[in-house]
Amino acid sequence: MPVVAAAAAAVAARPTGAGPARPLRGGVSARPCRRRGIRAEASSSASASASTPAPAAADEGAGAGPCPVVRFEMGDFDVADRVSVGLHGRSDEMIFEATVRDPSSELYGSTVVLRQLMSFQAKRRGRRALEVLKKLARRQMMYHSYAMQVHGYVTPGNDVEQDDGSFILVHGYHGSYSLRHWLQLSDWLPTLEATLALDEEQVRRVGDDSVGGPAVTRQLRLIRILMRDLLIGVSFKVNYLHSHGLAHTELRLENVHVSPIDKHVKVGILGNAVDFHDNDPRNSTLASNDERRKMMIAFDMRCVGFIMAKMVLRELMDSSTFLKFKSFLTKGDDPACLREFLLPILCRNSPSGNIGLQMLDRQWGAGWNLLALLLATKPDKRISCVDALRHPFLCGPKWRINPSVDVIRWGLGSTAVRMAEDYIYGRHQRRRLAYFVELMEVLNPNPRTENWLNILPGHWRLLYCTGRHIGLTLRQPSPRILITDVFLTFAQTADSIDPVFSLTSDIGFKIMAESDWPHDKSGSEGTLSVTSSARIATGRIYIHEQDGNDSRVASSRSSRRYLRGKWRKVSKMKELPASLPTVNITMDEQDVSMSCNSTLNVSSAQKVLQEIRTQTPPEMFDLSKIVCGTYVDARLMILRGVNGSALFFTRSNSRADS
């Protein structure tokens, strides 16, 4: 729905068909003047209202010449006294909606947007948009399918390069809402589905063959359509804009529109395109230009990652939450840990489950993997458009895909994390979790000691232990202790030549009231801390130490178990190896301390300490029982204890709700 714009009412009045147009700010008036240059290709967009005339038919031959833009006069337009809320402008721009009233124009009856550029920088952006079209004259049809069409400009004189005169850019109108405004609607899902006219033919574009279904399925299907359209548009930029030395650098929800005419996503005008070719011939080397090109492509992919994050996780539409999200990435934290960072805020007001979290967790956490690849800290690690279009998260169930080894390894770890979070450890579930842990150890991507030294420092939260689990349900201990979070922190010692780490185990707990503890989990909070020094060295863990016949039979069964089905491609092994590379961890002396909010006497403190030791894996209280590390990557780690039990950790950064 359009809303009244004070700027439009104060600066321009709607002209009549008989009289001259009233001047806009900047002194631009309707004077008789013939348009110059090749005629612009007809707009494929129209106003969302029923009263707006249909656009003229497209001229496929337009734009083949050297100047695919038109110089208009203000008399060619009927300027409206209001603008749509979805039209996004800067502080140095004024936005108007208008209808082309020149019968000789191919745009006659079409709704267009007049963007009056006020400052020097704004005029420079407008001229840049015209230069982009000139460079892409022979690719206009593809460009206009995924970008907002620029029809021409209005200037008081014949010289478009004048800095002191007014400059108005004339571009297409693709509905009253930007993608940001669509997502802010309370009924955005059915409204966008109706706008895109989703039917079985439409959903086949993303590998699906059905419409409707649960809300999570419908949203995921819609996001796949929008993301694939957006990536195809960015892919066009990679192939053509970037090959001409240009990058968009202006990909935001406010600049993305959904056209109700051709059902495609339209990226905003390329007024902020950056020319990454050096203008100085002495400095314009092939290597430097190629480096700039890679940086700009990586920047565009990062922008696509922000758009995807806001589309899937509606909480990021809040500016304060999005600021924390960006701060997490700006500080250099690995995007692979985004789930751990955002989990508290996503589950805060969603007792039945957050829809965005469910979408990203589907298909073995494929959504989190794509988001991490789009937002990778190092530009050279970000995923390309082609690989993103092939990613499992953007491919429907009817498409056969061959995920990479990294994607399969990611899915394995994500599934283990979700199973550990369920906290219902039946016998079958414990067997399956132990199997997943062992398989991860076989597929460890960082077996070298140098990798461990680089990845190990940080804060790790204990998710699961394959050893025994003792809780409060079947016992009647006194006092009632609830274990909250258990962390293991590695900090490298700066003044040591050898790889020595300061190791700290922090066990959080609550002392609950004994009368109503099953229903009331409140109580006095406390922390048990164990500190030590750890030395890292190269080692190996042997899977089968015996050579007997029974051992060989067990080894054969184990190999078939690990190497069958989907894991065959990952391991590329015909049989399970006899040993795996690890890092040995040697501990020094330990210090134990405990703090609590309430005052405890010696006897009570001893009982609390004993109960903590009962419920906590022994390796977290006695760090000397940790003997080796068998798996590590940016977000997950597995350590083994002296009794063979595995400790499963996830990297924990500062929380979003802190």
Side-chain angles (χ1 to χ4, degrees):
M1 292 291 295
V3 296
V4 176
V11 180
R14 182 169 185 162
T16 62
R22 297 177 67 177
L24 290 176
R25 183 176 177 181
V28 182
S29 60
R31 294 180 295 176
C33 179
R34 296 189 62 84
R35 296 186 295 274
R36 300 171 181 267
I38 303 295
R39 291 182 300 174
E41 183 183 67
S43 172
S44 62
S45 62
S47 173
S49 63
S51 61
T52 304
D59 181 7
E60 295 185 5
C67 184
V69 293
V70 175
R71 180 173 176 266
F72 292 95
E73 297 294 331
M74 285 307 303
D76 297 332
F77 306 104
D78 280 334
V79 182
D81 61 351
R82 59 187 62 195
V83 295
S84 298
V85 67
L87 294 179
H88 176 73
R90 297 169 176 257
S91 59
D92 54 357
E93 299 176 351
M94 299 187 68
I95 310 297
F96 304 92
E97 285 184 32
T99 304
V100 180
R101 68 177 187 178
D102 183 5
S104 64
S105 173
E106 293 182 352
L107 300 174
Y108 177 68
S110 300
T111 301
V112 296
V113 177
L114 307 181
R115 187 178 296 265
Q116 185 173 6
L117 310 175
M118 312 298 296
S119 66
F120 172 77
Q121 290 81 6
K123 295 174 185 177
R124 185 174 180 271
R125 292 195 301 268
R127 297 188 189 100
R128 170 73 70 176
L130 301 180
E131 292 175 6
V132 170
L133 288 182
K134 293 178 183 179
K135 287 189 175 185
L136 303 175
R138 299 188 181 277
R139 296 290 180 178
Q140 282 189 78
M141 290 299 295
M142 181 176 291
Y143 166 73
H144 290 155
S145 296
Y146 297 99
M148 192 170 290
Q149 183 174 358
V150 177
H151 301 303
Y153 61 95
V154 179
T155 56
N158 295 330
D159 188 7
V160 72
E161 298 296 334
Q162 289 181 356
D163 293 333
D164 53 349
S166 176
F167 187 88
I168 300 176
L169 202 63
V170 182
H171 62 82
Y173 174 83
H174 298 288
S176 58
Y177 286 140
S178 67
L179 188 54
R180 178 180 183 86
H181 293 91
W182 280 114
L183 297 176
Q184 288 178 332
L185 294 175
S186 58
D187 58 345
W188 70 275
L189 180 59
T191 307
L192 257 182
E193 287 178 333
T195 303
L196 294 172
L198 290 186
D199 53 17
E200 291 187 0
E201 183 64 28
Q202 288 281 344
V203 299
R204 286 195 186 100
R205 292 163 43 192
V206 294
D208 211 334
D209 61 351
S210 61
V211 295
V216 177
T217 303
R218 291 169 59 195
Q219 289 192 30
L220 181 57
R221 184 185 300 121
L222 187 61
I223 286 173
R224 280 174 176 161
I225 291 175
L226 297 176
M227 279 294 297
R228 293 189 69 86
D229 245 17
L230 182 61
L231 283 167
I232 290 173
V234 175
S235 180
F236 162 75
K237 290 166 51 186
V238 170
N239 292 331
Y240 299 109
L241 293 191
H242 293 168
S243 64
H244 285 80
L246 297 169
H248 195 292
T249 73
E250 191 76 359
L251 287 170
R252 294 181 297 172
L253 283 177
E254 294 82 358
N255 295 329
V256 177
H257 292 72
V258 180
S259 174
I261 303 301
D262 61 3
K263 312 297 186 296
H264 280 302
V265 167
K266 305 291 183 180
V267 182
I269 60 175
L270 298 180
N272 215 37
V274 173
D275 192 343
F276 51 80
H277 283 234
D278 200 332
N279 294 327
D280 188 352
R282 295 171 298 178
N283 298 331
S284 182
T285 63
L286 182 62
S288 62
N289 287 338
D290 186 63
E291 187 66 24
R292 292 192 188 99
R293 179 176 181 270
K294 291 180 180 179
M295 290 294 294
M296 290 302 169
I297 294 174
F299 185 85
D300 283 344
M301 297 308 294
R302 182 180 174 89
C303 294
V304 173
F306 284 137
I307 292 176
M308 173 184 163
K310 287 187 175 182
M311 283 197 298
V312 179
L313 303 173
R314 302 292 302 282
E315 290 80 2
L316 296 182
M317 298 293 288
D318 178 70
S319 58
S320 60
T321 305
F322 185 70
L323 185 61
K324 296 178 182 179
F325 175 78
K326 286 194 70 174
S327 176
F328 172 86
L329 300 172
T330 305
K331 291 187 298 184
D333 293 325
D334 200 306
C337 306
L338 271 173
R339 188 181 187 275
E340 175 75 8
F341 173 74
L342 292 173
L343 195 60
I345 196 169
L346 296 180
C347 300
R348 181 181 300 164
N349 298 317
S350 302
S352 60
N354 182 277
I355 291 182
L357 179 63
Q358 293 179 46
M359 284 190 288
L360 295 175
D361 279 344
R362 281 194 173 189
Q363 293 179 284
W364 298 50
W368 293 108
N369 179 256
L370 178 58
L371 200 59
L373 293 174
L374 289 169
L375 299 174
T377 305
K378 296 182 179 180
D380 59 335
K381 298 297 183 181
R382 289 174 198 156
I383 192 171
S384 66
C385 289
V386 175
D387 290 338
L389 288 169
R390 296 172 179 170
H391 196 275
F393 182 71
L394 299 181
C395 297
K398 296 301 179 182
W399 282 353
R400 286 183 174 271
I401 55 175
N402 292 317
S404 65
V405 174
D406 291 334
V407 172
I408 295 179
R409 186 186 291 114
W410 176 285
L412 182 64
S414 297
T415 304
V417 169
R418 291 186 60 192
M419 291 176 61
E421 289 174 348
D422 287 343
Y423 204 72
I424 304 174
Y425 301 142
R427 181 174 299 178
H428 170 72
Q429 200 169 12
R430 290 176 60 81
R431 276 201 308 265
R432 193 178 180 201
L433 263 171
Y435 164 57
F436 273 47
V437 166
E438 293 170 4
L439 187 55
M440 290 175 64
E441 292 174 331
V442 174
L443 305 177
N444 182 17
N446 300 294
R448 298 174 61 88
T449 306
E450 293 79 5
N451 303 136
W452 281 82
L453 296 178
N454 294 329
I455 301 175
L456 202 55
H459 206 46
W460 301 85
R461 181 169 67 91
L462 179 65
L463 287 174
Y464 182 76
C465 175
T466 58
R468 63 175 184 170
H469 290 255
I470 301 176
L472 294 172
T473 306
L474 302 179
R475 301 185 302 120
Q476 300 294 327
S478 178
R480 304 289 197 271
I481 301 298
L482 177 66
I483 304 298
T484 52
D485 283 325
V486 180
F487 293 100
L488 193 62
T489 305
F490 287 86
Q492 194 159 11
T493 306
D495 56 352
S496 177
I497 301 177
D498 298 329
V500 178
F501 290 90
S502 173
L503 188 60
T504 303
S505 171
D506 294 311
I507 304 172
F509 62 90
K510 283 184 180 180
I511 305 176
M512 301 179 293
E514 297 188 11
S515 58
D516 197 28
W517 69 268
H519 307 286
D520 184 8
K521 303 298 183 184
S522 61
S524 301
E525 297 183 354
T527 303
L528 175 66
S529 297
V530 182
T531 60
S532 180
S533 296
R535 298 179 183 274
I536 307 297
T538 304
R540 297 192 72 86
I541 183 172
Y542 293 89
I543 301 177
H544 305 292
E545 297 182 355
Q546 299 177 0
D547 296 325
N549 187 49
D550 294 340
S551 177
R552 286 193 293 270
V553 172
S555 175
S556 176
R557 292 175 180 173
S558 180
S559 297
R560 288 197 300 270
R561 177 191 181 193
Y562 283 112
L563 307 176
R564 66 188 176 188
K566 67 185 70 175
W567 312 121
R568 188 185 312 166
K569 175 187 174 182
V570 185
S571 59
K572 297 181 180 179
M573 296 182 298
K574 295 183 178 179
E575 61 180 11
L576 200 66
S579 63
L580 297 174
T582 63
V583 291
N584 292 336
I585 303 176
T586 306
M587 301 292 175
D588 293 336
E589 294 184 358
Q590 303 178 65
D591 293 327
V592 181
S593 62
M594 187 175 70
S595 61
C596 185
N597 294 340
S598 60
T599 304
L600 300 175
N601 56 37
V602 175
S603 177
S604 299
Q606 290 177 344
K607 292 180 180 180
V608 169
L609 180 61
Q610 181 60 38
E611 181 62 21
I612 293 173
R613 295 193 61 177
T614 302
Q615 296 189 42
T616 306
E619 294 83 2
M620 297 304 297
F621 181 81
D622 186 358
L623 296 178
S624 63
K625 294 182 180 295
I626 299 176
V627 294
C628 67
T630 56
Y631 181 93
V632 70
D633 60 21
R635 61 177 183 140
L636 300 175
M637 177 178 65
I638 299 175
L639 302 179
R640 285 281 180 176
V642 67
N643 61 356
S645 61
L647 303 174
F648 186 36
F649 294 88
T650 181
R651 188 183 294 275
S652 177
N653 302 92
S654 55
R655 297 295 187 92
D657 58 349
S658 60

